């Protein structure tokens, strides 16, 4: 958790606001992968990509 706090502080101090959308997309893809494993939705998610 300290890493996330430090990373967000870095983004604020260095004014790297363009990294937020990239971080957001990575989090969504990670959550999608974690939630789709072992579920009935997995075949439908694979057809999207």
């Amino acid at each position: 958790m300290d890493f996330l706090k430090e990373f967000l502080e870095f983004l604020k101090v260095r004014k790297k606001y363009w990294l937020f959308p990239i971080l957001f997309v990575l989090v969504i893809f990670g959550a999608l992968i974690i939630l789709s494993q072992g579920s009935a939705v997995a075949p439908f998610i694979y057809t999207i990509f």
Side-chain angles (χ1 to χ4, degrees), residues 2 11 17 23 27 30 32 36-37 44:
D2 289 333
L11 292 178
Y17 298 120
L23 184 65
V27 167
L32 188 65
S36 69
Q37 289 184 358
F44 300 109

Side-chain angles (χ1 to χ4, degrees), residues 2 16-17 22-23 25-26 31 36-37 41 44-46:
D2 289 333
K16 303 284 186 185
Y17 298 120
I22 297 170
L23 184 65
V25 169
L26 287 174
S36 69
Q37 289 184 358
V41 185
F44 300 109
I45 291 175
Y46 292 128

